[in-house]
Amino acid sequence: MISISNVTKQYKGAPRPALDDVSIEIDKGDFVFLVGTSGSGKSSLLRLMLREDVPSKGSVSVLGENLVAIASRRIPQFRRNIGMVFQDFRLLPNKTIFENIAFSLEVTGASRSKIADKVPAALNLVGLSEKAGRMPNELSGGEQQRVALARAFVDTPALLLADEPTGNLDPATSAEIMRLLEKINEGGTTIVMATHDRGLVDMARKRVVVLDQGRIVRDERGSGYVGQE
Amino acid sequence: MRLSTVFREAVSGLRRNVAMVVSIILVTFLSLTFVGTASLLQMQVAQMKNYWYDKAEVAVYLCSTISPANACPQGQASEDIKTAVTAKLNEDTLKPFINNFYFEDHAQAYKHFQEQFKGNTVAKYVTKEQLNETFWVKLKDPQKSQIVTETFTGFAGVEEVRDQRSYLDQIFNILNAASLAAIGVATLMLFSSALLISTTIRLSAFSRRREIGIMRLVGASNFYIQLPFVLEGIVAATVGSLLAGGAVLAIVQFFVQGVLAPKLPFTNLVGLPDALTVFPILVGVGVLLAAIASGSAIRRYLRV
């Protein structure tokens, strides 16, 4: 599903590489936490997986695409198979909840009937069916993140990337988002989630990959935030 | 790809950037109006050239009492010389090129001179004898005046041969230079409006960078992302160029035909058919310009 080998990412003007000789394999159906302090390279790794960036060295392959060599006109097509969720939700403020979710289908050229079919299903999954006509600013943070999740998941992508999805939310709401992510994962979608949330990681007992200063220092299945040493 | 979605995005963009859209409309309107009037001026010059060149005649001036001695050693042209010139003009070598010719004697020349210089002091002092007797030759093809000029230059009793076109050429050179300068200025204005369109579109893209980011995130193709912006530029420029076309039509109808034409009864001025020829060209140039300017602006902005 995801194969990253010997990847180094050096940003111009930075004293040390954001990623330093990183290798990782993620299988279909995995649920992986990327943990580490700010600047440890979690977001850089996610950016490489979404082909928002290319590595300075090494190879990145996601969903069978070699992301170092992919032609730029094929990138949109590639991204349609990936859902992405961010800490700041990134909803379009001038569109309703329904339109926000429909938008990600519209831009890919989905038919009206497909939109009428899939958007309510996604809203139902995140429990926001009755708020379809609301605007994003009328919703709480947790609800907005659920909308973002619905948008990411509406076309049932094979891979869902989440960058600190609970960073702006209180623990109860975070747990709710986590439950949704687990539900999506149970449906077969691979999830890679960068997070600081120690409580979530400890509770979920999933695969944990710890990054420190751009290097992978621990990669353990069924682990917690700190490890079992 | 659903076109309705793209149009909806373009319309919402237009609504959000009203001030910028108005500035695009105004600048394309002004520059294309200038282009339109400059090209009508070119048409006018060409039309006048045709008209006047067709009327131009070749003058064969005979020696008068005050002709310079080097051109007219034997003094005023005699009757024999007039007969010789008439005979020459009727010869087979010249005749096929000539439409008609007529002779203007001292009295007629004096009369024309007095009419032409009415109120001018020079009219008081000139005498009949000082004015040249002239053979006016109208050619079938005004371009071929050289044949007449060559035949009569140095001909005994002929002071000078003059093609009226040489006077016209000076006037038309000036008019032509003026209209070319106008086209030059118009081109500069077009260039600046292209720059304005591309800046405006880039600003519009910048103000919607969050949306563009989300579109890219969910896998919208570059074409799909660009299209609303390009359409935005094209719609605005089309409105501007339609206004410019309307302005050109109005200028021709109300100023050229309404004000100038009654004052210049013997001049064939550009009319509505000419303006209607210019109209689609202006709209085409406006749309093309906007498409290229906004397309290249947004492409640079979206480079991954």
Side-chain angles (χ1 to χ4, degrees), chain A residues 19-58:
Chain A
L19 293 170
D20 190 1
D21 197 25
V22 167
S23 298
I24 184 171
E25 295 283 332
I26 296 171
D27 298 327
K28 185 167 167 23
D30 264 2
F31 194 125
V32 181
F33 285 115
L34 292 177
V35 302
T37 53
S38 295
S40 57
K42 307 186 296 286
S43 295
S44 297
L45 200 54
L46 286 179
R47 285 171 59 81
L48 291 183
M49 291 176 188
L50 194 59
R51 183 48 177 80
E52 283 217 78
D53 228 330
V54 282
S56 314
K57 250 192 287 184

Side-chain angles (χ1 to χ4, degrees), chain B residues 91-229:
Chain B
E91 259 177 28
D92 284 345
T93 44
L94 278 182
K95 205 167 175 153
F97 297 101
I98 293 171
N99 199 2
N100 59 55
F101 68 90
Y102 63 93
F103 179 69
E104 185 186 58
D105 63 17
H106 287 301
Q108 288 164 323
Y110 185 75
K111 193 169 157 251
H112 286 150
F113 190 88
Q114 291 298 338
E115 277 167 9
Q116 234 175 345
F117 290 93
K118 205 171 181 181
N120 194 319
T121 41
V122 74
K124 281 189 216 159
Y125 299 110
V126 82
T127 65
K128 278 184 193 171
E129 281 63 37
Q130 286 169 339
L131 295 172
N132 299 79
E133 293 177 301
T134 311
F135 280 93
W136 289 100
V137 182
K138 178 110 181 77
L139 294 168
K140 281 185 179 147
D141 179 1
Q143 308 276 359
K144 292 188 176 144
S145 63
Q146 222 184 341
I147 292 171
V148 179
T149 319
E150 274 168 9
T151 312
F152 291 106
T153 303
F155 197 84
V158 171
E159 182 185 339
E160 196 191 1
V161 185
R162 194 83 200 224
D163 182 355
Q164 282 185 320
R165 283 201 317 158
S166 62
Y167 300 114
L168 291 173
D169 275 342
Q170 289 173 16
I171 299 167
F172 285 126
N173 282 343
I174 293 168
L175 280 176
N176 213 12
S179 81
L180 284 179
I183 285 176
V185 174
T187 312
L188 266 181
M189 285 175 83
L190 275 183
F191 182 66
S192 68
S193 60
L195 287 182
L196 183 81
I197 291 173
S198 86
T199 311
T200 307
I201 293 303
R202 217 169 300 167
L203 273 171
S204 169
F206 185 75
S207 72
R208 272 187 274 169
R209 62 193 183 285
R210 193 179 168 81
E211 265 177 275
I212 292 176
I214 294 169
M215 284 168 112
R216 281 175 46 191
L217 201 73
V218 297
S221 66
N222 273 346
F223 179 73
Y224 187 91
I225 298 173
Q226 287 164 10
L227 200 55
F229 293 97

Side-chain angles (χ1 to χ4, degrees), chain A residues 165-176:
Chain A
T166 61
N168 280 344
L169 307 174
D170 60 68
T173 319
S174 299
E176 209 179 289

Side-chain angles (χ1 to χ4, degrees), chain A residues 50 76 79-80 86 88 90-92 94-95 103-104 106-112 115 151, chain B residues 1-2 4-5 8-9 12 16 210-212 214-222 224 304:
Chain A
L50 194 59
R79 286 188 185 144
R80 288 173 197 178
F86 296 90
D88 57 355
R90 301 204 187 171
L91 301 176
L92 296 167
N94 54 342
K95 289 192 193 300
F103 185 71
S104 74
E106 277 172 3
V107 297
T108 61
S111 67
R112 253 175 247 273
I115 290 172
R151 181 183 64 195
Chain B
M1 160 91 45
R2 291 237 313 277
S4 59
T5 320
R8 212 176 53 219
E9 293 295 316
S12 90
R16 221 177 310 175
R210 193 179 168 81
E211 265 177 275
I212 292 176
I214 294 169
M215 284 168 112
R216 281 175 46 191
L217 201 73
V218 297
S221 66
N222 273 346
Y224 187 91
V304 189

Side-chain angles (χ1 to χ4, degrees), chain B residues 184-301:
Chain B
V185 174
T187 312
L188 266 181
M189 285 175 83
L190 275 183
F191 182 66
S192 68
S193 60
L195 287 182
L196 183 81
I197 291 173
S198 86
T199 311
T200 307
I201 293 303
R202 217 169 300 167
L203 273 171
S204 169
F206 185 75
S207 72
R208 272 187 274 169
R209 62 193 183 285
R210 193 179 168 81
E211 265 177 275
I212 292 176
I214 294 169
M215 284 168 112
R216 281 175 46 191
L217 201 73
V218 297
S221 66
N222 273 346
F223 179 73
Y224 187 91
I225 298 173
Q226 287 164 10
L227 200 55
F229 293 97
V230 175
L231 279 179
E232 224 178 288
I234 288 178
V235 168
T238 306
V239 174
S241 46
L242 286 174
L243 285 176
V248 168
L249 287 180
I251 288 171
V252 167
Q253 177 66 19
F254 299 113
F255 178 68
V256 177
Q257 294 297 333
V259 178
L260 284 184
K263 287 184 182 161
L264 303 166
F266 298 110
T267 315
N268 189 9
L269 292 168
V270 285
L272 274 187
D274 301 299
L276 285 171
T277 325
V278 173
F279 194 104
I281 298 173
L282 292 184
V283 175
V285 168
V287 170
L288 196 72
L289 193 79
I292 293 171
S294 51
S296 71
I298 195 72
R299 199 152 303 137
R300 236 182 295 162
Y301 189 87

